[in-house]
Amino acid sequence: MAELLPELLAVRGVSVRFGGVQALTEVDLTARAGDITSVIGPNGAGKTTLLGVINGAVTPLGGSVRLDGADLSGRPIFERAAAGVVRTFQNLEIFSNMTVLENVMTGGHLHAGYTLLDSLLRTPRFRREEKRLAALCREKLDFVGLAHKAHLPAADLPYGEQRLLEIARAIAVEPKLLLLDEPAAGMNNKETQQLGAIIRRIRGELSIGVVLVEHDMELVMDVSDRITVLNFGRILAEGTPREIQDNPEVVAAYLGED
Amino acid sequence: MLFGAPQYLVSGLTVGATYGLTALGFTMIYNTTGIINFAQGEFVMLGGMLSVVLLKAGLPLPLAILAAVLCSALAGCLMERAVIRPVGRAAPVNLVIITIGVSILVRGVVMLIWGKDTFALPAFSGAKPLRFLEASVQPQSLWVLAITLLVLGALKLFFSRTIHGKAMLACACERKAAALMGISVERMAMFSFGMSGFLGAVGGAILTPITLTSYDVGVMLGLKGFAACILGGLGNPFGAAAGGLILGVLESFGAGFISSAYKDAFAFIVLLLLLFVKPTGLFGGPKSDRV
Amino acid sequence: MAVSARSLQLAVFAGLLAAAPLALPNDYYINILILCCFNALIVMGLNLLMGYAGQVSLGHAAFFGLAAYTTAFVTATAGLPVWAGVPAGIAVSALVAWLIAVPTLKLQGNYLAMATLGFGIIVSIVFNEAVNITGGPSGFVGIPRLKLLGYAFTSDTAYYYLAAGVLWLATLVSRRIIDSRTGRALRAIHVSEQAAQAMGVDIARHKRFVFVLSAVYAGVAGTLYAHHLTFVAPSSFGFNFSVQLITMVVLGGMASLWGAVAGAFFLTSLPEFLRVFEEMDILIYGAMLVACMMFMPSGLVGGLGKLAAWLKRKLTANPTPGQKPGQKPGLKADSRG
Ligand SMILES: Nc1ncnc2c1ncn2[C@@H]1O[C@H](COP(=O)(O)OP(=O)(O)O)[C@@H](O)[C@H]1O
Ligand SMILES: [Mg+2]
């Protein structure tokens, strides 16, 4: 059945070097629309770097990144956002100088249908569009359960909620593909469960494809359709959660880590 | 067409040595505290002015210079203790403005006490120029270069041999790690301010016999020192010193061959071009942002 | 959000600007007020650049000067009317800003500071050395007074109302930009360029926009300044003035519209009050800078805000959550305005 879904993201043969560190070597990753695709691996395996390559923050030595068949290689980050790729950050990058709602409205930057002149003249279009955007962003906050905190300074949110805010901000871009970098880091059990539900609803209700980088194996095994395992910048295995759990190499890599 | 080149080289190196010492002072403070000290130029001015004043007060020249340099080092320590340490880890702009405030204060005090006149200092060993290649070299230039090299050599030893020097490099790499190793970051900060007071004042004192001094020479010297710092790659002490020499020579050649009216502009034009091409300076490594 | 509160602030500001000359009877004070307006105008632009978008400029005096000299040249040397000189001055400032923005704004932190500083110094050296055009260190004399649509601004009071009106308009424009998608994008860039880009913000374009905009503010101030004094000299556009501008931004309170105005008015009029101390004024000026930054790091507006919060706590005796400890004001800071 999974074979019927179209390829949303196709990363092919990507390699990355940082000075002397070979962070990725010939990595492939495929994410199908309507799938939750996870990338796991020990610290330093290159997961964040891979997300960076997909959203344009990291320039690879070679290889290609395609979204819905269109080549994204060489295009800057903001154009990729417009094309439908958005990410969250492992080390939270909340806009600490704004309120919660303003953070999400920044995510809606591309959907505010007015020009600078409209904002200077406060035209009806400006008012209408800002109102629409605010309502839309409130919905996104509601989606992650933060609607009641819309007007608090974002910096005042506890850590777990800042992670949710990053997700709300990202889905306000209305992407085709959402890249989540360790969204459960720093969350307690209950929050992690809620996060799992949110990730499923992102796929189910919003029809956004998800690439999830995560260390919490319970969460990963629970929500993923496919899993790719990275180790030292190379692909160690790829398959369904079952296949991955039964893969002796993967087990060895993880046992070897601690 | 290269007529005069050796001459320009010598005078460029002479002035560049002071830029280098100023830049070194910037680097020391930057490495231990992350602050760009805009009062750095005032240390250079203090070195020259205090030497002049002490000489007039009857001290023999070597003693006057020594005392001036020590006073400036003390002023550096005092500055750290009085206005930098109390604010802790404030935002970088705020710290920069504090140092700007200090520089205005220092300049103001010197102007109030000794006025707006320009002062001279006698050369260390006579003023009869020596012939060297095609250049006529003032003995003072040799003094400047020799003393600068001496200071650089001593610093090199200091960084590689002494516990304080190593601690300072450790501070540069990782404040937290330094703190964990039992190095007092605060003491290091004070020490670095003292050191840059010392370095700046040395630069000021040895250059004064050539360029004269007054209460307001610190502004341009400080800015050029900062430029030298960036030229050499911010944070790299010997890059900073080299940056100073390069800047001095560039400026001297620019003034000699192109236009002396725009002498002060050359340093900054070159710097701007360099920044646009290689933003981390001549000797700076590549910088990458982690996310 | 709080649209009416913002309109009210603007209305109060208009009222204060209109009433100020009535409280200050003589021309000497009116002239200080005019200078306050010019500086506030530049500082407001610089605050959009620094306080909101987080990009330092240590060379902003150059844009002020470029516009002043351009209009001086166009009107006095070339003999064209003032209504041609003013837009030309503003356009030159904007154009130069646009040209240097691309390479400059790729730089960050201390490198950006150095590049803008270098730019400012180069421009100020040109003002000093291009004697044929600028008149050199002794200045450019004989700039005509402002005359627009047949009205000559001969009285200082008339000029004040012009300057104040322009300042008020600039405040309105700033307010509206801040409260729009552009303003959010700028604030986002301040905190995280990575995240801003990931949300689809073209950061290079936004940085260039705000840089040019701030140069336009400085340019407007520069042309009005030239036609007010009818004389300009390079010493007004040097490194010292750039530093003063930055100080006004920080002292007023970063990323606060009213902070910019407060900082500019305060620091512009301060030396006038310090004049009574004769030669000591520079000392007091330096000492105040240091003291303000040490004891009021979030600026006048932030300091007043804290005072208000403290009073409120005292009065209600009902503890409200204050600022989170350890939050740093300034470049990487919070605070909305
Ligand atoms: N900007 C960078 N500069 C230099 N090295 C980096 C950079 N980003 C990541 N690395 C290195 O690349 C490797 C992969 O890092 P990363 O992608 O963050 O791993 P993960 O997210 O799987 O923990 C690590 O060895 C890391 O130190
Ligand atoms: Mg990672």
Side-chain angles (χ1 to χ4, degrees):
Chain A
M1 190 198 109
E3 318 312 312
L4 299 176
L5 293 168
E7 256 182 25
L8 177 60
L9 172 75
V11 176
R12 293 291 174 266
V14 158
S15 300
V16 172
R17 276 188 84 84
F18 292 114
V21 182
Q22 182 82 28
L24 292 177
T25 312
E26 292 288 318
V27 170
D28 294 345
L29 180 73
T30 303
R32 294 177 184 281
D35 263 5
I36 294 172
T37 311
S38 289
V39 179
I40 62 172
N43 274 328
K47 307 179 295 292
T48 299
T49 306
L50 180 57
L51 293 192
V53 169
I54 300 171
N55 102 308
V58 175
T59 312
L61 290 173
S64 69
V65 177
R66 290 175 171 276
L67 184 78
D68 262 348
D71 194 357
L72 295 182
S73 313
R75 291 174 62 187
I77 304 176
F78 70 93
E79 282 185 16
R80 295 189 198 206
V85 183
V86 180
R87 75 182 278 194
T88 66
F89 296 87
Q90 181 177 352
N91 312 316
L92 289 168
E93 300 275 332
I94 288 291
F95 302 134
S96 54
N97 54 354
M98 302 186 198
T99 64
V100 169
L101 182 63
E102 284 171 329
N103 262 273
V104 185
M105 287 175 79
T106 309
H109 181 77
L110 296 168
H111 304 296
Y114 59 83
T115 63
L116 185 64
L117 197 64
D118 285 316
S119 35
L120 288 182
L121 300 178
R122 285 289 186 266
T123 59
R125 178 155 65 163
F126 170 85
R127 291 170 196 282
R128 196 175 60 237
E129 281 292 306
E130 274 288 282
K131 222 175 189 171
R132 190 186 61 80
L133 185 64
L136 198 83
C137 292
R138 251 175 238 279
E139 271 174 38
K140 307 297 182 201
L141 278 175
D142 200 33
F143 188 90
V144 300
L146 286 180
H148 58 296
K149 303 222 165 165
H151 292 298
L152 289 184
D156 288 356
L157 293 188
Y159 198 74
E161 292 186 349
Q162 293 200 359
R163 291 233 170 255
L164 293 179
L165 173 56
E166 277 220 347
I167 294 179
R169 187 178 71 182
I171 58 180
V173 186
E174 309 202 324
K176 294 178 189 164
L177 178 69
L178 174 62
L179 315 172
L180 298 172
D181 200 349
E182 306 204 12
M187 284 189 172
N188 61 31
N189 267 344
K190 189 163 153 260
E191 287 173 325
T192 306
Q193 270 172 16
Q194 288 167 346
L195 174 68
I198 289 171
I199 295 177
R200 280 212 190 80
R201 284 167 53 224
I202 290 176
R203 182 254 312 261
E205 291 174 23
L206 305 179
S207 313
I208 296 173
V210 176
V211 171
L212 171 67
V213 167
E214 185 48 66
H215 272 307
D216 188 317
M217 280 310 129
E218 211 173 312
L219 175 65
V220 169
M221 294 305 163
D222 191 31
V223 301
S224 310
D225 297 295
R226 308 285 304 179
I227 298 177
T228 293
V229 186
L230 278 183
N231 199 19
F232 295 114
R234 289 172 192 276
I235 292 191
L236 190 66
E238 200 279 333
T240 63
R242 266 234 90 91
E243 289 164 4
I244 295 301
Q245 270 168 321
D246 296 341
N247 185 320
E249 272 190 85
V250 174
V251 175
Y254 268 84
L255 288 179
E257 189 201 5
D258 296 323
Chain B
M1 105 139 243
L2 278 181
F3 178 76
Q7 187 71 60
Y8 298 137
L9 185 67
V10 170
S11 57
L13 285 175
T14 310
V15 181
T18 295
Y19 297 162
L21 289 174
T22 315
L24 213 52
F26 268 110
T27 312
M28 294 234 153
I29 291 179
Y30 178 76
N31 277 355
T32 45
T33 63
I35 297 170
I36 298 289
N37 173 28
F38 274 88
Q40 190 65 34
E42 307 316 320
F43 293 146
V44 185
M45 179 273 285
L46 279 179
M49 284 297 281
L50 290 178
S51 300
V52 170
V53 169
L54 292 171
L55 184 75
K56 276 190 181 164
L59 254 57
L61 185 63
L63 221 58
I65 289 175
L66 191 70
V69 167
L70 291 180
C71 282
S72 307
L74 199 68
C77 293
L78 203 68
M79 173 178 173
E80 193 277 338
R81 186 64 196 84
V83 297
I84 302 294
R85 192 179 300 180
V87 297
R89 306 209 64 191
V93 230
N94 295 36
L95 286 166
V96 163
I97 292 186
I98 289 180
T99 65
I100 288 174
V102 170
S103 79
I104 294 176
L105 259 176
V106 172
R107 220 177 306 151
V109 170
V110 170
M111 185 195 80
L112 273 186
I113 303 181
W114 294 299
K116 296 186 175 179
D117 295 336
T118 301
F119 298 95
L121 205 60
F124 295 0
S125 58
K128 188 161 174 286
L130 313 166
R131 293 298 301 180
F132 181 74
L133 293 180
E134 293 167 49
S136 86
V137 181
Q138 292 192 32
Q140 185 66 23
S141 288
L142 297 180
W143 276 105
V144 167
L145 291 174
I147 291 178
T148 304
L149 286 178
L150 198 74
V151 169
L152 284 180
L155 269 184
K156 181 100 194 157
L157 280 181
F158 169 74
F159 278 135
S160 56
R161 296 283 164 79
T162 70
I163 196 85
H164 264 81
K166 285 180 188 162
M168 249 168 138
L169 288 184
C171 258
C173 299
E174 195 61 72
R175 287 173 65 101
K176 228 192 243 158
L180 284 178
M181 281 158 56
I183 298 166
S184 157
V185 177
E186 279 188 349
R187 187 129 43 84
M188 277 295 110
M190 184 186 243
F191 187 69
S192 71
F193 272 84
M195 278 291 275
S196 12
F198 172 84
L199 290 169
V202 169
I206 58 182
L207 191 65
T208 299
I210 298 175
T211 60
L212 310 184
T213 190
S214 65
Y215 80 104
D216 60 353
V217 294
V219 183
M220 221 8 149
L221 282 170
L223 293 178
K224 298 256 181 77
F226 183 29
C229 227
I230 300 272
L231 191 68
L234 192 56
N236 172 353
F238 297 100
L245 291 174
I246 295 172
L247 204 66
V249 172
L250 276 175
E251 198 173 87
S252 170
F253 274 77
F257 288 120
I258 307 176
S259 153
S260 62
Y262 287 93
K263 170 174 161 285
D264 284 333
F266 290 117
F268 294 101
I269 291 173
V270 171
L271 187 78
L272 239 86
L273 293 178
L274 176 79
L275 280 179
F276 293 164
V277 181
K278 189 168 183 292
T280 50
L282 279 180
F283 310 109
K287 179 177 148 287
S288 51
D289 279 338
R290 278 181 187 231
V291 175
Chain C
M1 179 195 70
V3 171
S4 56
R6 306 209 137 163
S7 313
L8 188 69
Q9 288 174 346
L10 279 164
V12 169
F13 184 45
L16 285 175
L17 284 175
L22 308 178
L24 303 171
N26 77 43
D27 266 3
Y28 176 70
Y29 288 111
I30 302 268
N31 270 299
I32 295 172
L33 268 185
I34 295 176
L35 286 185
C36 285
C37 289
F38 294 157
N39 287 347
L41 199 55
I42 314 171
V43 170
M44 194 170 284
L46 189 58
N47 188 31
L48 286 175
L49 179 70
M50 255 179 77
Y52 286 94
Q55 312 298 309
V56 181
S57 168
L58 278 177
H60 238 57
F63 298 117
F64 180 54
L66 279 170
Y69 274 110
T70 303
T71 192
F73 183 82
V74 168
T75 54
T77 311
L80 292 172
V82 172
W83 60 256
V86 170
I90 299 168
V92 165
S93 276
L95 184 71
V96 172
W98 190 82
L99 287 175
I100 70 161
V102 182
T104 304
L105 294 173
K106 276 188 198 146
L107 303 169
Q108 285 179 343
N110 293 316
Y111 293 95
L112 176 62
M114 186 69 237
T116 50
L117 173 86
F119 163 74
I121 290 180
I122 292 167
V123 171
S124 101
I125 291 173
V126 172
F127 290 157
N128 269 303
E129 300 300 334
V131 182
N132 291 339
I133 302 172
T134 63
S138 50
F140 193 126
V141 288
I143 306 168
R145 289 271 304 194
L146 193 64
K147 194 172 171 185
L148 284 177
L149 306 170
Y151 180 79
F153 290 83
T154 36
S155 88
D156 284 335
T157 311
Y159 214 93
Y160 166 74
Y161 279 111
L162 174 74
V166 171
L167 174 62
W168 188 84
L169 204 65
T171 314
L172 184 73
V173 166
S174 307
R175 175 87 277 161
R176 291 186 165 185
I177 289 176
I178 293 162
D179 292 336
S180 74
R181 68 197 284 245
T182 311
R184 287 191 295 267
L186 294 176
R187 281 183 285 162
I189 290 171
H190 190 164
V191 177
S192 169
E193 296 197 355
Q194 277 292 333
Q197 286 173 290
M199 299 304 119
V201 174
D202 180 348
I203 59 170
R205 217 184 61 154
H206 277 83
K207 283 188 191 175
R208 191 184 328 152
F209 164 74
V210 71
F211 195 64
V212 171
L213 183 71
S214 69
V216 166
Y217 278 41
V220 171
T223 53
L224 290 179
Y225 175 84
H227 292 294
H228 171 57
L229 288 194
T230 69
F231 162 80
V232 292
S235 55
S236 318
F237 312 113
F239 173 66
N240 279 339
F241 188 56
S242 288
V243 164
Q244 267 180 32
L245 292 172
I246 297 235
T247 310
M248 289 173 189
V249 172
V250 178
L251 190 66
M254 296 266 266
S256 156
L257 198 56
W258 304 116
V261 176
F265 273 72
F266 179 70
L267 275 192
T268 310
S269 48
L270 183 64
E272 308 303 330
F273 295 118
L274 295 182
R275 240 123 292 129
V276 288
F277 298 102
E278 305 263 334
E279 296 243 277
M280 300 284 278
D281 59 348
I282 178 126
L283 278 190
I284 298 173
Y285 187 84
M288 286 207 45
L289 270 192
V290 176
C292 282
M293 282 301 102
M294 286 179 71
F295 305 116
M296 218 167 44
S298 48
L300 294 170
V301 165
L304 284 180
K306 259 185 217 153
L307 186 69
W310 181 80
L311 280 177
K312 201 166 140 195
R313 261 204 311 280
K314 282 272 158 185
L315 289 178
T316 55
N318 190 2
T320 50
Q323 250 197 325
K324 274 208 307 194
Q327 252 179 357
K328 286 183 279 177
L331 257 194
K332 270 282 178 194
D334 57 332
S335 91
R336 264 145 258 106

